[in-house]
Amino acid sequence: MDEIPPMDCPQDFRCPISMEIMKDPVTISTGVTYDRKNIERWFLTYKKTTCPATMQCVEALDITPNHTLQRLISAWQSRRSGSPPPSAKHGELAAALGEIDSTPFKVSCLKRLRSIVELGDEVKEDFKRLGGVEVLVRIMEQVLGENSDFAVFRACEEAVAVLRHIPVSDDDEQILQVLMSSNCMNSMAIVLQRGGAEARFGAVATFEKLARADYQWNYAAQDQGVGFFKSLLEIVSDEICSKASSCALKLLVQMLEASKKSRLKAIEAGAICTLVELLPESSRSKCERIMQLIKLLCELAEGRLAFAEHGLGIAAVAKKMLNVSSGGATKIGVKIFMLVASFHATEKVLEEMLMCGAVKKLVALLHVGAGQSTTKERAAKILKLHGREWRRYPCFTSDVRDYLGLGE
């Protein structure tokens, strides 16, 4: 929660929308200044076309950074509370950052920089205050130039590796804007697709931090192509670096939950095939995330088709139901079968559900616990939908048929 502004805070330093001290003041065409996140939400999320303070109609939604006010606010805050003390490595950090633009040995300089920021949280915060993130992004963006060569790419990889160690939260608004610029996003996407293992981990970890820190990140990420999702799926499949694999899974869940466009690209990248093949040997925590991704993809017709056509899809999901210590896998499995049985119930699918034990487990769910639950209700609905096709098999006892109202 944002702190309440002190009583002596000048009125002009407060955003007219939130009445909080502005962190990134910007001015709109009416001449009124607002905090960037609040006025962008007003225009882009709430689709308003008026100035909140004056209610004048705003024809051009352009916003201009108010650097003068930003400096005044910063100076007032510094006088009032004092700036944080520099870290013990302040001098080394400042020297390395000052040298990095001019040195021909950027990779060595970046490696030294990484060894410094790994020393502790105070050093990392000092790095951010010194403009270290902006320096890293400038180096990364060089990979987009026409004259980019191997040396430039290696420097970009190393810069991403340093960035992985820098914490980012929703309070770091200016840093988030820099990291979410299209050039920075595209630079990290190139590293994700072509970099070495450590650099790829750095890229996916940074993407995941951005997704957690800023709700707008998923909209920025929608512009990435199918290759981006192929690279994420490769990292998910990485058996050597489990941290990178887990990080990529979390990122995929965040992206696919937020965007249908991203789901379609993931399907085109072969996500169903990769996820189904990873599912049988997955740990409990990974199992639930993998099944959640399959469920999100099966909410689209293209995903259901890919799932139904995969020879192991139904069997892999059925095996995890009632077979993992957490009930999450069973709940998600029933949701997957609900989607497939409701919208893609071909003869082949129904036969596979029977042969692979999915129907048997759905019947077993009717006997689990007392009373009703959403999962049990979904299981019963699936069985009612296709009970006529399955009723002649042994798992459909007379009690089950009576419960479902199927009769003899």
Side-chain angles (χ1 to χ4, degrees):
M1 182 179 294
D2 289 305
E3 292 183 0
I4 298 172
M7 295 298 294
D8 62 339
C9 171
Q11 187 65 28
D12 289 343
F13 291 0
R14 301 172 186 249
C15 174
I17 295 175
S18 65
M19 297 308 295
E20 295 166 354
I21 296 174
M22 289 183 274
K23 296 177 180 177
D24 185 12
V26 293
T27 304
I28 65 172
S29 59
T30 59
V32 182
T33 298
Y34 300 92
D35 207 354
R36 181 186 293 271
K37 70 174 182 180
N38 295 327
I39 196 63
E40 285 185 342
R41 188 177 292 129
W42 177 265
F43 287 149
L44 304 178
T45 303
Y46 300 136
K47 308 296 183 187
K48 302 290 187 180
T49 56
T50 55
C51 172
T54 66
M55 296 312 291
Q56 289 177 258
C57 185
V58 178
E59 294 180 1
L61 303 184
D62 299 328
I63 55 177
T64 305
N66 191 329
H67 296 301
T68 301
L69 183 57
Q70 176 78 74
R71 285 194 293 271
L72 289 170
I73 292 172
S74 297
W76 176 79
Q77 289 175 323
S78 296
R79 287 196 305 272
R80 192 176 183 280
S81 59
S83 298
S87 69
K89 294 292 180 179
H90 181 84
E92 286 184 60
L93 275 176
L97 289 169
E99 171 192 351
I100 206 161
D101 281 327
S102 58
T103 180
F105 307 109
K106 284 186 171 52
V107 172
S108 298
C109 190
L110 286 161
K111 284 181 183 292
R112 187 167 82 252
L113 198 56
R114 177 158 50 135
S115 68
I116 298 171
V117 300
E118 286 176 342
L119 293 175
D121 291 342
E122 286 185 2
V123 181
K124 291 169 185 172
E125 292 301 322
D126 204 3
F127 176 86
K128 291 195 293 189
R129 288 193 296 272
L130 284 167
V133 172
E134 289 82 353
V135 171
L136 294 179
V137 170
R138 281 204 304 271
I139 293 168
M140 288 157 53
E141 289 176 347
Q142 290 176 20
V143 81
L144 302 174
E146 292 181 4
N147 299 322
S148 174
D149 55 17
F150 179 71
V152 170
F153 185 74
R154 277 292 298 116
C156 179
E157 282 189 303
E158 199 58 45
V160 171
V162 176
L163 193 57
R164 176 169 74 88
H165 297 282
I166 307 304
V168 181
S169 72
D170 54 3
D171 291 328
D172 299 311
E173 292 190 21
Q174 289 183 314
I175 289 176
L176 285 171
Q177 286 175 39
V178 171
L179 292 175
M180 291 200 303
S181 68
S182 59
N183 282 349
C184 181
M185 293 276 286
N186 291 335
S187 301
M188 286 195 288
I190 288 172
V191 172
L192 185 72
Q193 294 171 55
R194 291 167 25 201
E198 187 175 18
R200 295 176 86 187
F201 180 25
V204 77
T206 302
F207 279 135
E208 202 267 328
K209 278 189 289 190
L210 289 176
R212 278 188 284 113
D214 196 302
Y215 72 99
Q216 291 185 341
W217 182 84
N218 284 304
Y219 298 103
Q222 285 183 152
D223 295 331
Q224 297 302 324
V226 173
F228 178 87
F229 290 91
K230 286 183 177 178
S231 298
L232 276 181
L233 291 165
E234 285 175 14
I235 297 172
V236 166
S237 305
D238 188 349
E239 296 178 358
I240 298 173
C241 185
S242 60
K243 285 185 178 179
S245 176
S246 296
C247 198
L249 264 180
K250 290 178 189 175
L251 179 59
L252 274 171
V253 170
Q254 288 167 321
M255 292 184 73
L256 301 195
E257 282 180 340
S259 166
K260 177 182 174 181
K261 192 174 177 182
S262 292
R263 292 183 212 180
L264 288 168
K265 289 179 183 177
I267 292 166
E268 188 178 344
I272 288 287
C273 183
T274 299
L275 296 169
V276 165
E277 289 171 11
L278 288 172
L279 187 56
E281 303 301 322
S282 60
S283 63
R284 188 184 86 178
S285 59
K286 275 195 171 183
C287 163
E288 291 189 14
R289 286 202 179 101
I290 290 170
M291 291 182 72
Q292 176 68 5
L293 287 170
I294 293 172
K295 193 272 289 186
L296 288 168
L297 296 175
C298 282
E299 289 175 0
L300 303 182
E302 295 87 346
R304 292 190 291 272
L305 177 62
F307 179 75
E309 289 185 345
H310 193 291
L312 298 176
I314 291 171
V317 171
K319 187 176 180 181
K320 291 295 181 181
M321 288 170 56
L322 299 175
N323 198 35
V324 177
S325 55
S326 165
T330 299
K331 290 179 182 177
I332 302 168
V334 171
K335 288 178 182 177
I336 292 170
F337 287 136
M338 185 76 201
L339 289 164
V340 175
S342 298
F343 303 109
H344 198 89
T346 63
E347 185 178 340
K348 177 177 176 287
V349 165
L350 296 180
E351 185 177 351
E352 272 193 55
M353 287 181 68
L354 188 67
M355 296 298 108
C356 295
V359 175
K360 187 176 181 181
K361 290 196 174 181
L362 290 171
V363 170
L365 277 170
L366 300 180
H367 303 287
V368 173
Q372 290 295 316
S373 70
T374 306
T375 300
K376 186 185 287 190
E377 288 172 2
R378 285 196 180 102
K381 188 172 181 180
I382 296 168
L383 294 169
K384 285 178 182 177
L385 272 174
H386 304 294
R388 303 275 173 207
E389 290 85 353
W390 294 328
R391 60 183 292 173
R392 66 182 183 276
Y393 291 92
C395 60
F396 263 68
T397 63
S398 58
D399 288 345
V400 171
R401 290 197 297 270
D402 291 341
Y403 178 84
L404 297 172
L406 297 174
E408 291 299 326

